[in-house]
Amino acid sequence: MRKHLFAALSIGAAGALALSACGGGSSDSSGSGGSGSDSTTTAGKVGVILPDAASSARYESIDRPALKAAFEKAGVDYDIQNAGGDKNKFQSIAEGMLSSGVTVLLIDSLDDASGTAAIKKATDAGVPVIDYDRLTLGGGASYYVSFDNVAVGTAMGTALVKCMQDNGDKTGNVVELNGAPTDNNATLFKQGYDKVITDAGYTVTDSQAVPDWDNQKAGTLFEQIYTQQKGDFVGVAAANDGLAGAVVARLDTAGEAGKIPVTGQDATDEGLQRVLLGTQCVTIFKDIKNQEAVSAADLAVALTKGDTAAADALATGTTKDTKLNTDVKSVLLVPEAITADKVMDVVSAGQTTAEKLCTTDELKKACEEYGVS
């Protein structure tokens, strides 16, 4: 795969929803928890439960500080905690937040069952719930804030097809390494890229779901796939940058890193570095800092004030809960596909810095070539 062959692939850019703001709190703590308030805060408190810190670096490096900043800008009291991939801990955090008097709960569920249990407890307590980033199927949350996840998958598939074609592979076998089977987002990502890949005339010869988005399990699964397929495939649709890293590591041992295109998602530093070096075809940028976190905070702020009309005005879309057969009021944002010549878009958005990306001589050379500064 040659970096300079990649054209920019973008599905567009969504404008960030502006926060109506007053003063804000300033305290926080590292680790699993974090809260803030001061004399200028409005009535009400938002509880936020993040899922883990292992499946993607985004939750602690991007989501937590972005949500914290948004709540403090709006002058809203908050408590942000991370379940660390533990479903029992997820439940205990939810119970503790409800007992402490949060008036809005914002959750990124580990799976539908634990998410639904938390939503039921909140609903019974009269506390509205916002599903953040992934929809809890069967949960019955009041609102949902995320990127259009089918569009995310479509962007990955579109980029992969272009990369394979740039390699001269107009047809051939493609391997899919999907996200957790318990994550509705993973289903939607696959729906997007699977359609693009098959419509373009490629054959999906193996498609595996990675339990819990576990990168180590992804490495083991891909090792098995590589052996079974005898390396006879021309592209890999990996559902996020963590899974992509596991794939690229295996391809590297076979001397094929950069020769077989691999997708990713989340625009993590590691993913962006691989894109710059040409070992990863694309990553998908979801502007969490300026769009997703701000949109979620806007909704939460409106709900802490009891202003459902304002919340409804923000949630202009709907998403189907296929278990309940209901439409959930949604804020759906637009992702951007990042190839090497678009990496600076992520830096300009403030999600990372050139200093974090351009860390080796090889990367510094790539950064200079693609204008990352």
Side-chain angles (χ1 to χ4, degrees), residues 2-309:
R2 300 191 298 275
K3 299 190 293 293
H4 64 278
L5 292 175
F6 299 149
L9 295 162
S10 173
I11 304 182
L17 298 173
L19 274 171
S20 54
C22 51
S26 59
S27 66
D28 189 25
S29 62
S30 60
S32 63
S35 62
S37 65
D38 67 12
S39 60
T40 68
T41 56
T42 62
K45 181 177 182 180
V46 182
V48 178
I49 311 178
L50 299 175
D52 65 82
S55 68
S56 178
R58 59 166 283 190
Y59 293 113
E60 288 301 317
S61 65
I62 304 171
D63 293 83
R64 179 191 287 273
L67 287 165
K68 174 180 178 291
F71 290 132
E72 291 185 350
K73 183 178 180 182
V76 171
D77 196 5
Y78 62 89
D79 181 9
I80 303 173
Q81 297 190 47
N82 194 310
D86 186 325
K87 296 170 189 177
N88 291 327
K89 184 176 180 181
F90 191 98
Q91 293 303 315
S92 66
I93 291 173
E95 291 168 1
M97 286 181 172
L98 292 168
S99 296
S100 74
V102 298
T103 54
V104 178
L105 196 60
L106 180 72
I107 66 170
D108 193 336
S109 298
L110 282 164
D111 65 1
D112 291 338
S114 57
T116 295
I119 292 170
K120 184 179 187 306
K121 288 184 175 72
T123 302
D124 289 346
V127 174
V129 179
I130 301 169
D131 268 337
Y132 179 69
D133 198 62
R134 58 171 65 108
L135 183 66
T136 306
L137 291 178
S142 303
Y143 297 92
Y144 173 50
V145 178
S146 187
F147 284 80
D148 183 330
N149 293 307
V150 174
V152 170
T154 299
M156 285 192 276
T158 301
L160 183 61
V161 167
K162 185 178 189 309
C163 291
M164 292 187 295
Q165 291 178 345
D166 286 347
N167 273 355
D169 296 312
K170 307 301 183 184
T171 61
N173 295 334
V174 173
V175 168
E176 294 177 347
L177 204 59
N178 311 306
T182 54
D183 181 354
N184 185 56
N185 280 7
T187 300
L188 299 177
F189 300 149
K190 183 182 187 301
Q191 179 182 329
Y193 55 69
D194 192 75
K195 184 177 189 304
V196 174
I197 291 165
T198 55
D199 283 355
Y202 296 89
T203 301
V204 177
T205 189
D206 204 333
S207 184
Q208 299 284 338
V210 179
D212 304 318
W213 291 92
D214 187 296
N215 297 334
Q216 288 190 330
K217 292 176 183 176
T220 301
L221 274 173
F222 185 70
E223 177 72 37
Q224 294 169 352
I225 292 170
Y226 190 92
T227 300
Q228 291 165 359
Q229 299 296 320
K230 299 180 180 179
D232 182 20
F233 47 85
V234 297
V236 181
N240 77 356
D241 287 348
L243 306 188
V247 170
V248 171
R250 175 62 184 88
L251 291 176
D252 190 46
T253 64
E256 294 185 295
K259 297 178 182 178
I260 296 178
V262 179
T263 68
Q265 177 195 172
D266 289 335
T268 62
D269 288 346
E270 294 80 4
L272 290 167
Q273 288 174 326
R274 288 191 295 270
V275 168
L276 285 167
L277 294 174
T279 57
Q280 185 171 319
C281 165
V282 68
T283 186
I284 305 302
F285 177 37
K286 299 181 293 188
D287 192 345
I288 298 161
K289 178 180 178 181
N290 300 302
Q291 295 182 35
E292 191 173 26
V294 171
S295 298
D298 271 348
L299 271 177
V301 168
L303 293 173
T304 60
K305 299 174 181 177
D307 192 347
T308 55

